[in-house]
Amino acid sequence: MPDTNRGTDVASSDPAADAAAVFDLLIGLVRAQVLRGVAALRIADHLSDGALTAEEVAQREGSHPQATYRLMRAASSLGLLSHEGEHRFALTGRGRLLRSDLPGSLRSLVLAQTGQAHWRSWTHFPEAVRQGETQAKKALGMDVFEYYAQPENAEEAALFAQAMGDMSSLVTQGAVAAVSTAGVSTVVDVGGSNGDFVLALMEANPQLSGQVLDLAHVVEGARGEAEKRGLSDRFSAVAGDFFEEVPPADLYLVKTILHDWDDAQCTTILRRCRAAVNEGGRALVVEMVIGEIGQPDIAALSDMAMLTMTNGMERDLDEFDALFAASGWRRSKTYPVGGGYFGLELVAI
């Protein structure tokens, strides 16, 4: 008989197929470390000019030849490499994304996500669920951002920063193409780091003046980026705390900020923007959006990462709308911007 509580016919389940499916989920940890191995050994870089044998890659990298072959064979099974015969391998389209010298590379993201800070924190995941908050401090002795600030973790911190920049550039391109800046004069990138988003908008619209609001140790990098792009005359960077105050603007950019914070903190950030927005102004929130329950959803999985690493969360549209209503905004438009992210345009109410 069908189990009406689950809406599926339990009797029709195939135990062998179910076991195979669960094993496939479990082997995900091995897939992640194969990715790490390919990235760490710069195998994609070694193959950038054409196919090589595993022995040739091992000689260039200084790695064990047989172990390198075994890694490349496993990477081939994941579609990262193609086997050309006689232990020779070439890059696939997926594998190219692990090159260190290409725009849109995911190499730093792979190394950051499989590095010590994340991997050790995941070992405490069940307790994070029991407590409803990150256990990163238990795993690392401090929260993850304090961990990255330690001099001995500088290399890992640099990989994380590079990974966030690489991901940001992928999303920024889609967001810049999608959002209209008609009637907008001033744009503030809230927590905008090096200003990549607002500077890209300024390049697309020569009439815009842009500004980054971020912490004091960050804003100098934004000024340098604006100068490098020749936009200093229309750009400024302000050191500040978006929980306290934001500058006035016609358009606020709030990209991948809200998922780092709990509901109360998000409401505060959005209220600061609402209090300062110019008449008729808007905000553009860029975040992942959790979709229909039970469907494959990278945002729902990313939410588990947020629970593991921070006290933030990914949200569905209803949860976002509740935040917006509580802070004086209403969502007026929603559109995909790439990489699983969405632009949520807000108007003041």
Side-chain angles (χ1 to χ4, degrees), residues 8 32 35 53 59 81 101-102 149 151 161 176 198 217 232 256 267 270 278 292 299 325 331 333:
T8 58
L35 277 170
T53 66
Q59 185 175 23
L81 306 178
D101 58 346
L102 289 182
V176 168
V198 66
H217 70 277
S232 295
T256 58
T267 300
L270 292 167
N278 293 333
E292 183 178 350
R331 177 168 55 94
K333 294 181 181 178

Side-chain angles (χ1 to χ4, degrees), residues 52-110:
L52 295 172
T53 66
E55 289 75 13
E56 289 170 328
V57 170
Q59 185 175 23
R60 294 185 180 193
E61 183 59 31
S63 55
H64 188 279
Q66 185 186 32
T68 302
Y69 168 69
R70 292 164 65 188
L71 170 61
M72 294 175 73
R73 179 175 62 189
S76 181
S77 78
L78 298 181
L80 299 170
L81 306 178
S82 62
H83 185 229
E84 307 296 308
E86 299 182 346
H87 288 197
R88 292 176 63 81
F89 295 87
L91 281 178
T92 64
R94 295 179 190 179
R96 281 173 54 83
L97 293 174
L98 297 181
R99 283 179 57 176
S100 62
D101 58 346
L102 289 182
S105 170
L106 298 180
R107 179 177 182 271
S108 294
L109 181 67
V110 166

Side-chain angles (χ1 to χ4, degrees), residues 316-337:
D316 61 28
L317 283 177
D318 288 341
E319 290 167 327
F320 275 118
D321 286 342
L323 287 181
F324 303 152
S327 53
W329 297 96
R330 176 178 59 81
R331 177 168 55 94
S332 60
K333 294 181 181 178
T334 305
Y335 40 77
V337 295

Side-chain angles (χ1 to χ4, degrees), residues 242-249 252 267-279 281-283 324 326-329 347-349:
F242 51 49
F243 289 112
E244 299 296 330
E245 186 178 13
V246 301
Y252 290 105
T267 300
T268 297
I269 296 168
L270 292 167
R271 280 177 176 166
R272 295 293 178 261
C273 295
R274 175 64 183 86
V277 68
N278 293 333
E279 185 175 355
R282 294 173 291 147
F324 303 152
S327 53
W329 297 96
V347 295
I349 56 175

Side-chain angles (χ1 to χ4, degrees), residues 277-319:
V277 68
N278 293 333
E279 185 175 355
R282 294 173 291 147
L284 174 62
V285 170
V286 177
E287 294 283 358
M288 286 188 172
V289 177
I290 295 176
E292 183 178 350
I293 296 175
Q295 298 301 310
D297 190 351
I298 192 173
L301 297 178
S302 178
D303 187 40
M304 297 296 91
M306 300 309 298
L307 175 59
T308 300
M309 300 306 303
T310 74
N311 281 324
M313 61 188 293
E314 309 292 357
R315 295 172 170 88
D316 61 28
L317 283 177
D318 288 341
E319 290 167 327

